Amino acid sequence: MKNDLLAQFNKAFESKARLSIMSVLMVNEFMSFNALKELLGLTDGNLATHLRALEESGYVAVQKQFIGRKPNTTYSATTAGQQAFTDHLNALEAFIKNL
């Protein structure tokens, strides 16, 4: 029974950083790279790597634009990302309840 529950965990969210990123994006329509970096206390490289992995999984969308002359990159959770994250949280909850 517990192995069935473990199989429902989404490996994309096993990392603390990715879990944190998705948690933030689930409650905010979008967040800038700098806001995520400051809020989560991650380095540029670490955050970029985790965001890229989530983007490649189809869970995060990237919007690049200029504000004045400054580049501004924002991130948002995709519909697929929202569903996958919700499913992951439900699997975690079911696992904990069955301990």
Side-chain angles (χ1 to χ4, degrees):
M1 175 72 171
K2 287 183 184 172
N3 286 336
D4 292 339
L5 293 172
L6 289 174
Q8 295 177 20
F9 289 2
N10 189 324
K11 293 197 179 294
F13 307 126
E14 284 183 351
S15 158
K16 177 184 171 187
R18 292 182 196 168
L19 193 66
S20 299
I21 291 166
M22 285 304 294
S23 295
V24 170
L25 294 179
M26 290 290 285
V27 297
N28 292 282
E29 186 177 344
F30 61 89
M31 291 287 287
S32 72
F33 183 88
N34 287 333
L36 281 168
K37 182 175 80 167
E38 185 177 321
L39 181 65
L40 302 176
L42 298 172
T43 64
D44 286 3
N46 197 348
L47 179 58
T49 299
H50 289 295
L51 284 166
R52 189 174 316 110
L54 290 168
E55 180 186 7
E56 288 171 359
S57 296
Y59 296 156
V60 169
V62 182
Q63 300 83 33
K64 294 184 181 234
Q65 60 185 352
F66 281 89
I67 297 177
R69 293 182 181 207
K70 289 187 172 187
N72 183 42
T73 305
T74 57
Y75 298 86
S76 58
T78 63
T79 302
Q82 291 171 351
Q83 185 61 56
F85 192 68
T86 298
D87 292 345
H88 181 72
L89 293 180
N90 289 338
L92 284 171
E93 183 178 5
F95 180 76
I96 290 167
K97 286 181 177 179
N98 284 294
L99 286 180

